[in-house]
Amino acid sequence: MALIELQEIRKHYRMGDETVKALDGVTLDIEAGSYAAVLGPSGSGKSTLMHLLGFMDFPTSGTMLFDGDDVSRLSPSKRAWYRANRLGFVFQTFNLLPRLSVLENVRLPLDYARQARNANDLAREALDRVGMSHRIEHRPGQLSGGERQRVAIARALVNQPKLILADEPTGNLDTKNVERVMELFDALVDEGQTLIIVTHDLEVAQHARSIILVRDGHLVGTEEGGHSE
Amino acid sequence: MIIGSAIIHGVREIGTHKFRSLLSMIGIILGVAALVAMVGVVEGMMSGFRKTFEGTGGIEKLEIERAEPPMEQEAIAHRSPKRTMKDYYALQAAVPSARRVSAEKNVDWSRLQSDTKREWVRMRGTTPETFEIERFSTLPGGRLISDWDVEQRNRVIVLANRNARTLFGNAADALGKTVSTRGIVFTVIGVLEPDDTGSWSRSRVAFIPISTAIHYFAEPDDDTIQDLGLQAERMEDIPVLTDQIERTLLVTHRGIKDFAVETRTEELEEFQKLERSFVYSLGGVAAITLLVGGIGIANVMLASISERIREIGIRKAVGARGGDIFIQFVAEALVISVIGGLLGIIASVGLVELLRSVMPEDTGHVALSAKAMGWGFLFSMIVGFCSGVFPAIKAARLPVIDALRYE
């Protein structure tokens, strides 16, 4: 059974008198342990796809199964539960809270998942995993871009998510740091983590084992491939 | 857990915007301080009144006032001896259920003269019961006016503490000394305890036996008295007592009803009405101040939310529910108002001190009331909560995608 199954997913918005079909009949399976890159030009619908996969939005029609459960019509707080307990996010702009320490930022998903007991230990472990355990009391503003992104990855890992979604995770990094982050992602996948990266960068997409091409709200192709080839 | 960390976060948030938070607190600070100070003023005034009311016999006191006789008795009204000491003795004998009967002949303002000093006092000719009814007591070593003094028309005097100090330097030194007024010499037998009611009529007063007052200070053929009072054992006795008093006095007044028995319920009601109007008007002022304070907090919270839309988006993206965001912002508003409330209480202490120093003593002591502080604090919390609710709902409802994209 696939971790995520999308069947005929549509997402339509009304903009004034027009209906924008951001996604128009997408069917897609994502297996547990897969490493996929979503590619597509701006406005292709890949962001919308990300939002749906990330439980930040819901489809206009169609069915979405997560771990076998129908999650197409969830209440906002149920979606928040999935974000806190089942998903990890990595963003282009890191999205760390500037007034919280590194440790507090990393434990945030656990706080919202009501897992206070060993939250600090889990957060330290996650920071250790990304090589940032020497900076736990720092504020994000005191870190370099690469360091911030690693902290953000630690935050995405901390709740042991079923799926990590990375939205242009290397967009704000220099070459050296891109490499470092991608190495980290590769290693996570090797450990069995399911990971989806949305990117413009073909080099980044090369790391993935499958590629999902989106255009005009449609899936124009999925191909196996990536770094093995 | 979420609430705890929301509060910690709120404190931190205030720490990063100290000045802005202080500005938003000012309304609450002033509101609470005003509330506590106002309650202090009103309670001070009211407790002064209550003490005076209690001190003059309380609700159980009945007074026999002079009244115009009914029309049909007008022609024979002159046959009544009016209110005299006979009434006093008659009531004592014929109304056994009365706890105390008292009578008074007012001598009015007199200038007392000691060896070296002079002092104006309100001189009252009284019976011994007056001291019990009005709760006067003497300093150790002295005594109050007794039945025997009244019987013997003794020239003895009990001085108010303040007057004794003026006349003799030291209150205790007055005992056994003499003072004179209008050529009559009195021996000081007692000095009252210092008065704490703030009542002016209790601190500048001197008592002599009523018989002495009538004998030395009234017109030769005038044996009337000004005040005739009676204290009931219980409030329920008052109707029966009123009846008994009327029967008794109709005998001594030769059937002429030139008196009226008055109770003090109306006086008490008037006072309670006054108290209520004070509480409502001053409470209204404090409530408006607190409301304005609440609006200030709501305003700052709204501004803070538009600054922090992205933060809200991030928190939601990593799993915060609308409820979590709501709690966070309400907690922040609460923290502001609680700190404001505490500062307000501290400010109220200073304000009350200030009021004490500028307000005349006679208006009663401005009291710092713990109850008012408690209410002030509670109100500030309620105001904080209410002013946080609307901005917090706004924050909680932000769609996560839009909030994350917000620049």
Side-chain angles (χ1 to χ4, degrees):
Chain A
M1 187 182 60
L3 175 65
I4 298 171
E5 291 172 48
L6 302 183
Q7 289 156 7
E8 283 298 306
I9 288 289
R10 283 180 170 68
K11 182 70 191 179
H12 297 176
Y13 301 100
R14 286 205 71 82
M15 270 181 115
D17 292 337
E18 269 179 78
T19 302
V20 179
K21 296 176 176 175
L23 287 180
D24 202 19
V26 171
T27 299
L28 173 71
D29 283 2
I30 290 163
E31 299 296 328
S34 62
Y35 186 3
V38 178
L39 280 172
S42 304
S44 60
K46 64 181 195 306
S47 291
T48 306
L49 182 61
M50 270 295 279
H51 293 148
L52 290 176
L53 291 173
F55 289 84
M56 294 192 200
D57 207 347
F58 54 92
T60 312
S61 68
T63 310
M64 173 171 164
L65 301 180
F66 189 96
D67 232 0
D69 298 322
D70 188 348
V71 293
S72 346
R73 304 270 177 282
L74 290 181
S75 68
S77 71
K78 204 74 187 128
R79 273 187 267 133
W81 183 89
Y82 271 95
R83 294 198 296 272
N85 292 278
R86 294 285 179 267
L87 294 178
F89 293 94
V90 180
F91 302 94
Q92 178 175 4
T93 51
F94 323 131
N95 280 345
L96 299 173
L97 294 177
R99 285 205 269 281
L100 301 187
S101 71
V102 163
L103 187 74
E104 286 169 320
N105 263 292
V106 172
R107 59 170 283 171
L108 212 51
L110 298 177
D111 289 340
Y112 289 125
R114 311 288 196 269
Q115 257 190 56
R117 199 167 302 158
N118 52 354
N120 279 339
D121 295 338
L122 290 173
R124 279 202 190 87
E125 261 173 50
L127 282 164
D128 204 31
R129 182 73 189 75
V130 299
M132 287 299 296
S133 46
H134 58 300
R135 294 261 157 134
I136 56 171
E137 292 307 328
H138 285 61
R139 296 287 148 104
Q142 298 167 295
L143 306 177
S144 73
E147 286 177 316
R148 283 186 221 180
Q149 195 59 302
R150 281 192 278 149
V151 171
I153 293 169
R155 182 179 64 189
L157 284 175
V158 75
N159 54 352
Q160 292 159 326
K162 298 244 175 182
L163 171 65
I164 291 179
L165 287 168
D167 190 0
E168 300 280 3
T170 56
N172 280 354
L173 299 179
D174 57 26
T175 328
K176 211 183 95 217
N177 277 309
V178 170
E179 267 171 40
R180 211 155 165 193
V181 163
M182 291 318 294
E183 271 169 31
L184 206 65
F185 280 149
D186 294 346
L188 288 172
V189 173
D190 287 343
E191 288 164 24
Q193 179 67 55
T194 314
L195 178 66
I196 298 177
I197 299 181
V198 175
T199 185
H200 280 106
D201 189 336
L202 284 172
E203 261 179 59
V204 167
Q206 289 301 313
H207 285 256
R209 291 180 191 150
S210 61
I211 287 175
I212 299 163
L213 279 171
V214 188
R215 186 169 301 220
D216 298 331
H218 298 281
L219 223 60
V220 292
T222 55
E223 53 185 76
E224 296 302 312
H227 69 150
S228 51
E229 282 153 67
Chain B
M1 179 223 56
I2 287 287
I3 293 175
S5 68
I7 288 171
I8 293 167
H9 197 76
V11 172
R12 232 196 258 178
E13 201 57 45
I14 287 162
T16 43
H17 299 291
K18 288 187 195 72
F19 189 62
R20 183 163 83 182
S21 306
L22 184 71
L23 284 181
S24 66
M25 276 175 208
I26 281 178
I28 295 287
I29 297 174
L30 291 180
V32 171
L35 182 75
V36 174
M38 289 308 166
V39 170
V41 170
V42 173
E43 278 195 355
M45 270 165 51
M46 293 305 149
S47 81
F49 181 92
R50 205 169 284 122
K51 274 186 189 161
T52 311
F53 188 75
E54 288 299 322
T56 50
I59 186 76
E60 296 91 3
K61 173 113 181 243
L62 296 165
E63 275 172 281
I64 293 110
E65 300 283 346
R66 200 173 61 185
E68 288 302 316
M71 280 244 263
E72 65 275 16
Q73 291 188 332
E74 255 173 36
I76 52 167
H78 64 274
R79 293 188 56 218
S80 164
K82 308 220 173 68
R83 293 171 306 158
T84 65
M85 282 304 281
K86 273 190 195 136
D87 292 339
Y88 169 72
Y89 290 117
L91 287 176
Q92 273 190 336
V95 189
S97 58
R99 192 152 63 137
R100 299 185 189 103
V101 183
S102 67
E104 184 152 337
K105 175 83 180 175
N106 212 337
V107 186
D108 227 333
W109 289 96
S110 309
R111 196 162 68 171
L112 289 183
Q113 167 103 44
S114 69
D115 288 346
T116 52
K117 297 267 169 51
R118 288 169 183 175
E119 173 83 322
W120 284 96
V121 301
R122 204 171 67 111
M123 201 144 93
R124 298 168 61 184
T126 58
T127 55
E129 296 81 7
T130 301
F131 299 100
E132 291 169 49
I133 294 171
E134 302 191 16
R135 295 174 202 188
F136 283 115
S137 53
T138 169
L139 290 177
R143 68 175 181 86
L144 299 167
I145 286 162
S146 66
D147 286 328
W148 181 71
D149 292 322
V150 174
E151 226 170 84
Q152 298 295 315
R153 283 188 223 146
N154 286 337
R155 282 174 300 176
V156 291
I157 191 164
V158 175
L159 295 176
N161 200 285
R162 178 196 176 118
N163 300 134
R165 272 184 314 212
T166 314
L167 289 166
F168 296 99
N170 184 343
D173 288 350
L175 290 174
K177 301 266 172 59
T178 57
V179 289
S180 63
T181 183
R182 291 179 234 180
I184 297 146
V185 178
F186 292 88
T187 306
V188 179
I189 54 167
V191 175
L192 299 177
E193 298 272 9
D195 181 61
D196 62 348
T197 60
S199 162
W200 187 71
S201 65
R202 287 174 70 87
S203 60
R204 286 169 172 257
V205 66
F207 294 99
I208 58 174
I210 187 168
S211 50
T212 315
I214 294 170
H215 185 75
Y216 291 101
F217 298 111
E219 296 296 318
D221 53 352
D222 176 16
D223 62 348
T224 60
I225 55 179
Q226 261 114 18
D227 291 319
L228 186 59
L230 191 143
Q231 211 179 12
E233 199 72 58
R234 296 183 312 243
M235 261 186 75
E236 304 88 86
D237 295 342
I238 289 177
V240 180
L241 274 179
T242 310
D243 194 46
Q244 290 176 337
I245 292 165
E246 283 184 359
R247 286 162 194 273
T248 309
L249 293 187
L250 277 176
V251 174
T252 53
H253 288 228
R254 298 186 190 165
I256 293 162
K257 194 165 182 312
D258 58 352
F259 60 89
V261 181
E262 292 192 354
T263 63
R264 301 181 82 194
T265 42
E266 273 169 38
E267 204 178 323
L268 189 70
E269 273 164 19
E270 279 300 311
F271 156 67
Q272 282 165 339
K273 227 186 274 174
L274 186 74
E275 185 174 27
R276 266 198 300 278
S277 67
F278 267 123
V279 167
Y280 289 148
S281 55
L282 295 177
V285 169
I288 289 169
T289 317
L290 278 171
L291 182 73
V292 171
I295 293 170
I297 291 182
N299 204 0
V300 168
M301 292 303 298
L302 283 172
S304 146
I305 282 162
S306 10
E307 259 174 32
R308 286 157 64 191
I309 288 178
R310 207 181 162 80
E311 175 193 329
I312 294 164
I314 296 170
R315 285 178 180 275
K316 283 195 154 185
V318 300
R321 295 162 209 215
D324 296 325
I325 302 293
F326 176 83
I327 287 171
Q328 181 189 337
F329 282 94
V330 168
E332 242 179 84
L334 261 181
V335 168
I336 291 180
S337 65
V338 162
I339 294 175
L342 289 174
L343 290 177
I345 285 174
I346 294 169
S348 73
V349 176
L351 194 58
V352 165
E353 278 307 315
L354 183 76
L355 285 175
R356 260 188 205 150
S357 64
V358 297
M359 280 176 72
E361 224 179 288
D362 292 351
T363 50
H365 291 297
V366 183
L368 202 56
S369 144
K371 210 169 83 181
M373 286 180 172
W375 278 110
F377 189 66
L378 185 71
F379 279 138
S380 69
M381 276 178 69
I382 294 171
V383 164
F385 180 80
C386 294
S387 59
V389 164
F390 172 65
I393 288 175
K394 216 181 144 201
R397 283 198 182 152
L398 281 175
V400 53
I401 302 169
D402 300 347
L404 263 182
R405 278 195 194 134
Y406 191 84
E407 291 297 333

